[in-house]
Amino acid sequence: MDLELSETQKLIQQTARDFATKELKPGAFEREDKGIYPFEELKKMAELGLMGVNIPEKFGGVEAGVVAYSLAMMEIARACASTAVSMAVTNMAAEIINHFGNEEQKQQHIPKITSGEYPAAAFALTEPHCGSDATALRTTARKTDRGWVLNGTKQFITSGEHAGVTICWARTSGQGAKGISTFLVPKGTPGLSYGPEERKMGLMASNTVSMIFEDAQLPNEALLGDENLGFSVSMVALDGGRIGVGSQAIGIAQSALDEAIFYAKERTSFGKLLAEHQAIQWMIADSATELDAAKLLVLRAANLKENGKPFTREASMAKLFATEAANRICARAVQIHGGYGYIKEYPVERYYRDCRVTTIYEGTSEIQRMVIARSLLRG
Ligand code: CAA
């Protein structure tokens, strides 16, 4: 793996960094505090190409690849993790349509995602009774003369209410992984409604809702990929999504470490700076080392995906390590701040909360371990 970034990768990283520093970070506290969805910010990010980093130019993407996408995600998450998760799911949805869609489906939705005409796109696999055990989903899609009729409920859908299109999984026959199909559900679909916004521990400026399908009507063309073979679509999507969440965790942790270092060089105790105490130095050293290791794992997975090589196991390893390391790094940053780390005015309080979900969504740490172990033990 070449550790030197290409000119394109540097450009995307710098573009995301400039935007994050100048436009995203200043309003992050207020958006979080008041639960304001970043409509304006996401639109500007689309104009900068950040809603289609790994999407072909002919659909409005910047075709910069997976490593560039990961680098951009780290930068956005450094400033605002809520905006980062909205960006992550939107890019993932665009990639799924690009990978599995027919030309008409691609033309219909991808340019609207990459241009920001759709404020976001969403991914609806989880249901109230099943998250990790995704093949146990109960939402049904029944074929009719005019298309499909969907019934069921999807839970914890990021940007669900604002998404121009949601990629949704439903049972079309059989049991288990077989007989699940993938559908493109546009906003405004008759029979689709949304539950109230979830009140979460963190990521307050992101939108998380349930999606309720009551005889929701979809045309024949809503089917994405092959009928009954949709479960693999979700798995392929999540393999890539896990690189995004690992990158997001790295961005949050980087900010937490920066704040911890800044504070350690300002605050004194026992007659010297915190930074001069070995106990603090070791925490900072551990955090920096784990952060670098996380970056290397995430970039390796991104590099494999970019080069068309198998990357399922490496994406799970990257997500597992990066998100767990990020939680440790954020916890240490709070610890270094002492009582102030528990106070809202200090950003580490937010990083600690925002980071928590990264070991849960897009596959818990336990699921990542399952994927890693299965791939090692299979052969
Ligand atoms: N790529 C392609 N196909 C895959 C695959 C992959 N990475 N992993 C599995 N499959 C296929 C298998 O080949 C199998 O197909 P066949 O039967 O034709 O061989 C089928 O999928 C079922 O696989 P398993 O037998 O391994 O199924 P399982 O039920 O034992 O385990 C699982 C599957 C790995 C646990 C899976 O259910 C999983 O990843 N669960 C976690 C779900 C998850 O991550 N949810 C996140 C929600 S989205 C989210 O959080 C977004 C957000 O808002 C931020």
Side-chain angles (χ1 to χ4, degrees):
M1 180 170 89
D2 188 358
L3 294 176
E4 193 63 39
L5 299 183
S6 70
E7 288 310 311
T8 304
Q9 289 161 350
K10 283 187 203 158
L11 180 66
I12 297 289
Q13 184 184 44
Q14 194 59 48
T15 303
R17 183 173 295 167
D18 288 346
F19 177 78
T21 313
K22 292 183 195 137
E23 305 209 32
L24 210 47
K25 197 171 176 181
F29 177 84
E30 193 189 353
R31 285 192 302 277
E32 158 81 11
D33 199 40
K34 300 188 175 148
I36 302 168
Y37 189 77
F39 282 109
E40 222 176 276
E41 290 75 11
L42 291 170
K43 176 79 182 148
K44 284 188 190 164
M45 284 161 61
E47 284 158 14
L48 292 171
L50 298 176
M51 290 304 180
V53 181
N54 188 36
I55 294 293
E57 283 179 12
K58 72 171 186 160
F59 299 122
V62 291
E63 219 171 310
V66 191
V67 171
Y69 167 68
S70 166
L71 295 168
M73 178 57 55
M74 291 177 199
E75 297 299 330
I76 298 300
R78 272 177 87 165
C80 177
S82 290
T83 305
V85 71
S86 313
M87 170 185 166
V89 179
T90 302
N91 272 273
M92 175 165 73
E95 284 201 34
I96 305 172
I97 302 171
N98 187 46
H99 192 133
F100 294 98
N102 57 38
E103 193 59 25
E104 215 172 69
Q105 290 168 328
K106 292 183 196 185
Q107 292 290 358
Q108 189 187 346
H109 295 293
I110 304 179
K112 291 180 182 156
I113 295 174
T114 52
S115 68
E117 186 179 332
Y118 289 164
F123 179 97
L125 181 64
T126 299
E127 299 193 355
H129 68 286
C130 73
S132 292
D133 187 8
T135 65
L137 63 82
R138 290 183 194 148
T139 295
T140 57
R142 185 167 44 84
K143 201 156 175 38
T144 67
D145 294 344
R146 305 214 319 269
W148 299 91
V149 177
L150 267 64
N151 280 288
T153 301
K154 294 287 170 182
Q155 186 81 340
F156 304 139
I157 306 309
T158 300
S159 301
E161 213 175 341
H162 307 312
V165 66
T166 296
I167 301 175
C168 179
W169 282 267
R171 183 158 300 287
T172 37
S173 80
Q175 284 187 333
K178 299 275 184 290
I180 292 172
S181 302
T182 314
F183 294 91
L184 292 169
V185 181
K187 191 172 171 62
T189 292
L192 167 63
S193 61
Y194 306 96
E197 229 182 295
E198 299 293 351
R199 299 173 64 227
K200 307 184 293 279
M201 175 192 282
L203 301 182
M204 311 289 203
S206 71
N207 171 259
T208 311
V209 292
S210 56
M211 296 178 74
I212 302 143
F213 295 91
E214 291 167 306
D215 287 333
Q217 312 282 328
L218 288 174
N220 284 317
E221 305 78 59
L223 181 70
L224 182 76
D226 294 327
E227 189 177 335
N228 294 326
L229 297 181
F231 189 70
S232 290
V233 175
S234 72
M235 292 294 102
V236 170
L238 284 170
D239 284 347
R242 289 165 185 166
I243 295 173
V245 173
S247 310
Q248 182 200 18
I250 288 168
I252 302 169
Q254 181 69 64
S255 279
L257 177 59
D258 293 346
E259 289 294 331
I261 292 173
F262 180 80
Y263 189 77
K265 287 160 76 176
E266 291 270 303
R267 168 90 178 192
T268 54
S269 72
F270 302 102
K272 55 184 179 182
L273 290 172
L274 289 187
E276 290 167 331
H277 291 284
Q278 193 183 50
I280 303 296
Q281 291 171 0
W282 284 20
M283 282 197 251
I284 288 171
D286 283 348
S287 293
T289 306
E290 289 180 39
L291 192 55
D292 267 15
K295 276 184 202 160
L296 288 170
L297 278 176
V298 166
L299 291 176
R300 176 183 69 162
N303 194 270
L304 287 171
K305 180 179 171 199
E306 183 156 319
N307 288 298
K309 299 196 173 136
F311 68 99
T312 299
R313 181 171 75 213
E314 289 79 3
S316 282
M317 286 175 162
K319 197 226 177 226
L320 171 63
F321 186 82
T323 59
E324 300 225 327
N327 272 276
R328 290 191 293 274
I329 293 165
C330 290
R332 285 187 202 114
V334 170
Q335 193 69 17
I336 289 170
H337 280 71
Y340 289 109
Y342 204 62
I343 302 294
K344 282 212 177 295
E345 278 65 27
Y346 285 75
V348 290
E349 184 269 346
R350 169 163 58 93
Y351 303 147
Y352 183 75
R353 288 184 292 102
D354 283 350
C355 195
R356 185 62 191 86
V357 76
T358 62
T359 64
I360 297 172
Y361 62 25
E362 304 220 0
T364 60
S365 289
E366 292 69 32
I367 289 295
Q368 308 313 324
R369 290 187 176 96
M370 184 196 275
V371 171
I372 296 162
R374 280 184 182 181
S375 94
L376 289 166
L377 297 170
R378 205 173 23 224

